[in-house]
Structures are given as structure tokens and as C-alpha cells.
Amino acid sequence: MTAISRLDREIDELAAISAHPAPAVTRVLFSAEDIAARQWLMAKAKEAGFFVRSDPAGNLLIRWEGDEPCLPAVATGSHTDAIPNAGKYDGVVGVLGGLEAMRQLKEAGHEPKRSIELIMFTSEEPTRFGIGCLGSRLMAGTTSPDDARTLRDPDGRSLDELREAAGCRGDLGAVKVSSLSYSAFVELHIEQGPLLEAAQLDIGIVEKIAAPSAFRLLLKGSGGHAGAVLMKDRRDAFLAAAEIALLVERAALESGSPDTVGTCGLVEVKPGAINSIPCDVKMEVDFRDTNREARDKALGKIGDGTREICGRRGIEIDWQVINQDPPAICEPTLVALAESKAKAAGFSCQRMISRAYHDSLFMARICPTTMIFIPCYKGYSHRPDEYSSPEAIAKGVAVLKECLKELSVK
């Protein structure tokens, strides 16, 4: 069996471990499907001759021991959890592609000086706890064990309860790694945008990763009968939310940075009846940029405008920060290395930024980091028709393999 057909088959096998039927993929953190996918991946890694362990947060670490195991390891990886009704390539290409790169090197007789470690990060997606990249945040120490223990899913279940039920036991404090653990981290990922496909390019080399900020607004107005309360007497929480949503859009458009984006992705209105004035609204906003100064200035305008809107409409507001992370600047020498490997293989490539954020954002706090992007159909992602061709994936794996090969003998 050729390497490309082996990887393509394994992507399909993993996609079949899903709470929803094909072509949709749903694997929420510590669900039955997520646990089954972990077991499947561990079996594949052990079959290839690699050592596998899980940390207390559920990060899977698949290690190929080098000749000098005391040296900081070279790392790659991504995630296999999937939001509801997603596709089969997001994150998976980085995990299974990383495993394939390691297998190809081993089969070719490569002898690494440094260990090579593939990381399957737990909970890259925010589906269960409302915060993304939980595993890599804990590894980098940007989220403390105490803060992680306060997390609850929509059913009120805690991280400790769920991880222990999944067999991930131990002190969460042990998840954090030192800056001496890894010498470099290179993540392979589908672009999740249309630029590479539109330019007919094989490879994107990431130089910067956008700085995400997310916040939750709890708006409290006053309800009443839709026919009995006159417009001038209303304190409609949803109308305040609508104004705030337009304010978010305006702040992004007027930030002065072409990379600022703002999204009001969640709005819950109560009591939720057509003939009742909305009295309570929960809305969650995602706001990001590669330019932290531009992002934070725009966030300040959103804060000022929100207070003005709520004051004018008589709405009480509770502003809760979910996360506010700095951008990551990728290591120039790693960027140059990946670029040189792509060109040496005859692949067309360009340097670019990642507007989506990934576990690499937090691995960059630990060690030099970059990402290798491959094109995906129309930039589609987080949906069942997400697609990257076997040929595109194989090119990404080839570049990753050569990077791991060189970095593991330095």
C-alpha cells in the first residue's frame, strides 16, 4: 500500500468515528466518539512502533525516541475533536499527516538525534467548554489548573469529571511543559480559507497567527406583553444586542487593519416567544487580528459603545471576558526552513498569516513555531463539504517530513 493511499484510508476511517453520519463529522471532547477516536489513534501509533502516552488533560503524545532523548524534542501535531456537523480534514490532516511523516521517515531508515513527538491536543475546539485550545493552553501555562477546574459544559459537568471518566487522571498541574521540552513545533493544517486555492499554490508558510479575543455579554432588560407595552416604555434586551452586533461590525471595518474580523456567533434570547418582549440576552463575540494594538483599540470602542447603548436603552450589562490572547509571530528560521523544503520539492508556495487560531498559537509560547498550510476547496471548513485532495495533503506531508528530518538531527 502506498503512503498516500494509507493516509487517505486512515482519514476516512477516523471520519467514520462520528456522532453524525457521513459526510458530517462530530466528535465533541470526551464524548464516546472522541474516546473511540483516541483509542483508534493510539492503536495506529503503537502499530507503527511509537511510544504513546496521555497527560492528565487528555493530550496524546506519540513519541519516536531519538538517539539523544535528553535533548528537547521536535514536535508536530494538531487535533481530532470536531464541532457538530463538521468535516473530516480540520485538525486531522495535522495529526494523521504527522503520523504519516514519522512513519515515512522511519521506513526510510532515518535515525533521529532528537526525539520526534506527535501531539494530539485535547479540545482544540471550544464546543464543550466554550474555550478553544484547552490542551495547548494548559501545556503552555496560559490557563491555570484552577481556572480549568471551574469550566462547566452546557450540562453542568466539570472538566475533572469528564476527563476522569475518559481515563485521563492525574494532576492538571503536570500538563504544563517547560521551555526545554521542545526545540521546535511545526503544525500541518488545511488553510480554512480560499487564498491558496485561488492562487493555485501548493503550500502556505505561516508567519503570524491572529490574536483572538472572545467575550460574553449578558444583557438584562424588562419583559412584557408585545401588545400591551408601548414602544417608548420598553427596555428590550434584544434591540440592545442588535445595536451591539452592528457596533462590532463597524469596529472591525474601521479598525485601520485589513485583518480585523468580528463575529457575533451566538445570541440567545429569552423568553423566546413571538408575543413577549425580550428581557434577557446572552451573546458571545469573537474578535481577532494579527495586530494586537489594532484589535485592542477596536475592543475599547466596542466597550464604550456598548455602555452607551445599554445606558440609553436602560439595559443592565455583565461583560465577561472568555479569552484575550496575544498574536504569535512564527520563528523566522522555521518559516525559512519550511519554505526551502517546499521549493526544493518543486512545490509553489507563499508566506501568509493564519486568521484562524490553532494550538500553534500556544505552542509558540513554549518553543519556536510555524505552520504549513495546504489548500482546501473554496476555503470551506467546519462544514461537511470541507475538502482537501489526497495530492494536496501528500505535498503538505512531504514538506513536514523534510522539516522534521532536518530538525531532528540538529
Side-chain angles (χ1 to χ4, degrees), residues 77-79 89-91 121 123-125 132-134 136-137 185 187-193 206 208-212 288 325-326 328 330 353-365 369-373 381-382:
S78 196
H79 65 99
Y89 300 94
D90 174 25
F121 295 99
S123 193
E124 194 269 355
E125 302 292 3
C133 298
L134 180 58
S136 53
R137 286 178 189 272
F185 179 77
E187 180 173 5
L188 174 64
H189 209 283
I190 63 172
E191 182 194 352
Q192 297 181 290
V206 175
K208 293 189 293 184
I209 304 171
R288 61 181 79 183
D325 302 299
C330 294
I353 66 171
S354 174
R355 291 177 173 83
Y357 74 94
H358 308 273
D359 291 300
S360 288
L361 183 71
F362 301 97
M363 289 302 292
R365 308 281 192 95
T369 296
T370 191
M371 298 186 71
I372 299 166
F373 275 176
S381 186
H382 285 191

Side-chain angles (χ1 to χ4, degrees), residues 274-294:
I274 191 172
N275 61 343
S276 185
I277 300 165
C279 58
D280 293 286
V281 170
K282 178 174 82 170
M283 63 187 302
E284 293 183 358
V285 180
D286 179 297
F287 204 84
R288 61 181 79 183
D289 199 321
T290 56
N291 183 323
R292 184 177 185 176
E293 183 180 356

